[in-house]
Each structure stands twice: as C-alpha cells, then as structure tokens.
Amino acid sequence: MIRMVLGLGLALLVPCAGAQDAVATDGDKYKVVLENPCVRVLDYRDQPGERTHQHHHPAFVLYALGPFERTLTLPDGKVLRRSFKAGDVMWSDAQTHIGENMGTTPTHVLIVELKDAPAADTGACAGR
C-alpha cells in the first residue's frame, strides 16, 4: 500500500518536474530587475536561433522592447508562433513552454509576472 501511495505521489509530480522557474533554467537570458510580494519583473534577451529550456511563468504581462519572432512549444507539443513589434504589449495566463527565437533579430522584452499579494496589506508592494 505504501508503494502504491508513493508511486501515485511521484506520478503526480512528474508533470511539474520540467516546469521550473525561468531564471533557474535560463539564467543567461532572464535577469530579475525587480521583485516584491506583488510582482517579479524580468529582463529577457536572446539571439536568433537560441532557445530556452522548458520553464513556467505565472500569469504575466510582456512588453516588447524591440521586434522579434519566436515559437513557443507547449508541454502537449502544440507550437505557437509569435511576432512582436517594439512597443507591443501582451497578457498571458500562466504558461509552461520552451521558447525559440525564429527571427533575424534579438529578442528583448520585459516580463511582469504577477504574484498573489497579501490582501490585507495594501502597501506590501509599494517602494520595493
């Protein structure tokens, strides 16, 4: 019985194993520029042909600092193609993916990942 429970527990963890934090999987591309109880702001840069390891983002807003084209490969194998111009802004629900720069220009974006902020402390995010 114990083996069955442990096996089930491990089976439930396997889908999460590849969905690590982006800064942990690709620290050469993601830099944290601000973090507080409400948000984490990431500066992301890559070059044409580069790709990330599979990683996870909570719900986020992306702001493109320059034009780029990329694909996102989701855990189920679905491939999404994205194209951005400088100044484009995009909202995304939480997502696990592998990203690849498929264009001829570097990718440079700011990503604002949302966190569950403490509801009772409205000043928890100010000045950090």
Side-chain angles (χ1 to χ4, degrees), residues 29-30 44-47 50-52 55 62 68-73 79-84 97-103 105-109:
K29 296 173 181 63
Y30 288 95
Y44 176 85
R45 298 171 189 249
D46 71 14
Q47 297 297 316
E50 291 185 335
R51 66 186 285 147
T52 66
H55 60 275
L62 178 146
F68 65 94
E69 294 181 29
R70 69 190 305 100
T71 59
L72 300 175
T73 304
V79 177
L80 308 173
R81 186 161 185 94
R82 299 286 188 246
S83 180
F84 291 87
H97 62 247
I98 297 169
E100 184 171 0
N101 184 330
M102 302 298 289
T105 59
T107 302
H108 188 195
V109 299

Side-chain angles (χ1 to χ4, degrees), residues 14 26-27 30-31 41 43-45 48 54-55 78 84 87 92 98 100 115 120:
V14 169
D26 294 283
Y30 288 95
K31 302 296 180 218
V41 180
D43 183 319
Y44 176 85
R45 298 171 189 249
Q54 182 169 285
H55 60 275
K78 183 177 180 181
F84 291 87
S92 177
I98 297 169
E100 184 171 0
K115 295 182 178 182

Side-chain angles (χ1 to χ4, degrees), residues 4 6 16 19 21 26-27 32 40 42 44 47 52-53 65 72 82 85-86 91 97 109 121 124 127:
M4 187 182 340
L6 287 174
C16 299
D21 179 74
D26 294 283
V32 177
R40 180 170 75 161
L42 304 173
Y44 176 85
Q47 297 297 316
T52 66
H53 297 87
L65 294 165
L72 300 175
R82 299 286 188 246
K85 300 181 302 276
W91 162 263
H97 62 247
V109 299
D121 186 0

